[in-house]
Amino acid sequence: MRRARRRIVLTTAAIITLLITVVGGVAYTVMTHAQDDQVRREVRYGAAHGDLARPPACLWLYGPGAAVMPNAPAGFPVYADLDRVRRGGAPVERTVRRAGGVYLVRTQLRDDGDVVQAVLDLRSQLADRSHLWFALSVAELVGLAAAGATGLVLGRRAVAPLAEALVRQRRFVADASHELRAPITRAHTRAQVLARRASADGLPTAHREGLALLVTSLGRLGEVLDDLLSSAALTAGQTWRAVRRVDLVALARSAAAEEAERVRERGLTVRVDGPAHPLWVDGVASALRRAVGELLANAIAHTPPGGRIEVALSRSGTTVVLAVTDTGPGFDSGEAERLFRRFHRGGGGRYGLGLALLREVVTSHGGTVAATGRPGQGARFTLRLPQSTSVPAAGTEPVGEGTAIGAAVAPVPAVAAPDPPLRTWRAWRVPVSLSGRPRPVGGPGRPGRSRR
């Protein structure tokens, strides 16, 4: 809303300034043209018919028998022009600067055969032009002030209804998501318990599959609530709270460890390649974990069985770089930017909010995320975050909300996994609710929804 108001103010100021400039330019042009015509008529009439003994004010005449006036400017007449007219007969008219003044000088041959030179002082005309420039400058400044005030008033009145509508919309999304979260959490947990009991009691396969589908559906519903609330909060421009130093290497390994079950189920190999020392960034660990987890889940979902996913971490100047590369089907280069649009539909179907929210989270942390890929040659998502400018104190543990797996290079082993525990809320953890009360954001569900 603030940006919209600023745009209105700037647009209004630009329009009013342009109008004043155009009107002032036209007025100045018309006035100077009229002045030029007037002074030319005066000097030509004086040179042709003026009385040499009693010339008009601000006009001096030089010719045979003319007395030198006591107020005549120094440096006149211009003898070179007199000689030229005597030789050629054609009149000579030009502007001459003498003794700090500007004069229009016309020398011509009269009907009686005398050569007369008329000198007109342009001081008053130039003063009028200076006054006009000063008036136009004052009008421009007044116009800018008026434009700013008008823009502020128009901006507030124009944006106020839209701002109120957006606030109501975000409040509704936040309240609805908050009220629906608790019952969905209970239903999701209960469905997981029933699915466990069905498997333990040896119920028919159709019953177990139905319960599994119910668990998945409830999990995705919880993720939709998470995404809606997170999007509303991020769009509202709220700032992150609890910003800390986060070791992106430990966070990436921890996120890969959480995906171990899905990796084993699909027969994939995940390799986390990073330095032995931490790569610190400033941010919210839970939000960055969700962003990295989204990249991993996206790669897992689109890598065929037996494929390979590499997570590479490095430092480039003052930037920490995390790149996730897979051996999936890839995508057209023209789709790269559209992958991050909300609910974009492409060749792979409907993408949802995951990658869009990922970009919003990364952008809110001062970073960037980009995608590259080619059909049949896999995809690569590159996340860049500013390196932390503060040095962690001695003994500070990396913030990663999980246990790192392996060493600097850590493939996930493809071995049988035990029964998974009950799934709990995974959240973006938006800093504060739209109603103003601190509130964690979360929802049930299996991570790794398809984005491509």
Side-chain angles (χ1 to χ4, degrees):
M1 294 301 102
R2 287 192 296 270
R3 287 195 297 269
R5 284 195 291 267
R6 283 196 297 268
R7 290 193 187 100
I8 293 176
V9 172
L10 294 176
T11 302
T12 305
I15 292 175
I16 294 180
T17 302
L18 180 62
L19 289 176
I20 294 177
T21 302
V22 171
V23 172
V26 172
Y28 183 82
T29 302
V30 171
M31 190 196 76
T32 54
H33 183 73
Q35 283 185 339
D36 290 341
D37 288 343
Q38 180 184 358
V39 296
R40 285 193 178 93
R41 285 196 302 269
E42 290 182 4
V43 76
R44 289 173 183 175
Y45 181 83
H49 308 287
D51 187 353
L52 298 179
R54 292 180 299 176
C58 298
L59 182 68
W60 296 272
L61 297 177
Y62 300 90
V68 178
M69 304 297 293
N71 63 342
F76 292 101
V78 181
Y79 294 102
D81 290 354
L82 291 172
D83 295 339
R84 181 177 175 183
V85 172
R86 289 191 186 101
R87 290 194 304 269
V92 176
E93 182 177 309
R94 63 192 180 100
T95 301
V96 178
R97 296 180 180 273
R98 289 284 192 278
V102 180
Y103 303 89
L104 180 62
V105 180
R106 181 177 176 85
T107 308
Q108 72 174 51
L109 182 65
R110 284 188 173 184
D111 295 339
D112 57 5
D114 294 336
V115 176
V116 176
Q117 185 173 99
V119 179
L120 179 65
D121 190 353
L122 300 178
R123 187 178 309 167
S124 60
Q125 287 79 10
L126 295 177
D128 291 341
R129 297 182 185 184
S130 299
H131 294 329
L132 180 59
W133 273 118
F134 178 76
L136 291 177
S137 301
V138 173
E140 189 77 18
L141 294 176
V142 174
L144 285 175
T150 304
L152 287 175
V153 174
L154 292 178
R156 289 177 180 176
R157 292 188 177 182
V159 176
L162 177 60
E164 183 179 358
L166 289 176
V167 168
R168 290 181 178 181
Q169 178 187 12
R170 291 166 185 157
R171 184 180 296 116
F172 169 77
V173 172
D175 293 343
S177 300
H178 177 67
E179 296 301 327
L180 290 173
R181 185 184 301 113
I184 291 179
T185 302
R186 291 193 294 269
H188 183 256
T189 303
R190 184 60 179 168
Q192 286 181 306
V193 172
L194 292 176
R196 286 284 185 82
R197 291 180 180 176
S199 178
D201 296 342
L203 292 182
T205 303
H207 292 179
R208 297 197 302 271
E209 291 178 351
L211 288 172
L213 290 176
L214 178 61
V215 171
T216 302
S217 299
L218 289 173
R220 290 182 177 177
L221 179 58
E223 289 180 342
V224 171
L225 292 178
D226 289 344
D227 289 345
L228 289 175
L229 185 56
S230 301
S231 177
L234 289 172
T235 305
Q238 297 171 0
T239 56
W240 295 101
R241 292 188 179 183
V243 174
R244 302 173 59 188
R245 287 185 298 269
V246 180
D247 179 10
L248 205 60
V249 177
L251 189 146
R253 292 173 182 162
S254 176
E258 289 185 356
E259 297 289 353
E261 178 188 348
R262 296 182 64 208
V263 168
R264 286 190 289 265
E265 289 176 355
R266 297 178 62 86
L268 305 176
T269 300
V270 175
R271 185 181 184 88
V272 181
D273 189 359
H277 56 81
L279 293 177
W280 298 98
V281 297
D282 292 325
V284 179
S286 59
L288 294 176
R289 168 175 292 281
R290 183 72 183 271
V292 176
E294 180 65 35
L295 291 180
L296 278 172
N298 185 69
I300 292 171
H302 294 90
T303 303
R308 182 182 182 86
I309 299 172
E310 293 187 358
V311 181
L313 297 105
S314 61
R315 182 173 60 191
S316 177
T318 59
T319 302
V320 176
V321 182
L322 183 147
V324 179
T325 307
D326 62 59
T327 57
F331 52 85
D332 292 330
S333 58
E335 286 284 310
E337 185 62 27
R338 291 193 289 269
L339 292 176
F340 298 97
R341 295 180 183 176
R342 297 167 182 265
F343 304 111
H344 170 63
R345 291 182 179 273
R350 190 168 181 264
Y351 300 139
L353 282 168
L355 290 179
L357 288 178
L358 161 67
R359 170 168 282 185
E360 290 181 1
V361 169
V362 174
T363 303
S364 68
H365 282 75
T368 61
V369 61
T372 57
R374 296 177 62 183
Q377 299 185 19
R380 179 185 180 89
F381 287 80
T382 305
L383 187 153
R384 299 176 183 273
L385 291 169
Q387 184 182 6
S388 176
T389 56
S390 58
V391 179
T396 301
E397 294 296 331
V399 179
E401 290 190 357
T403 304
I405 60 172
V409 178
V412 177
V415 298
D419 290 336
L422 295 180
R423 300 193 184 280
T424 56
W425 291 103
R426 295 193 64 202
W428 289 98
R429 296 191 185 277
V430 181
V432 64
S433 70
L434 294 175
S435 60
R437 300 185 301 271
R439 179 188 299 165
V441 179
R446 182 187 185 98
R449 289 169 292 160
S450 176
R451 302 300 179 199
R452 279 185 273 143

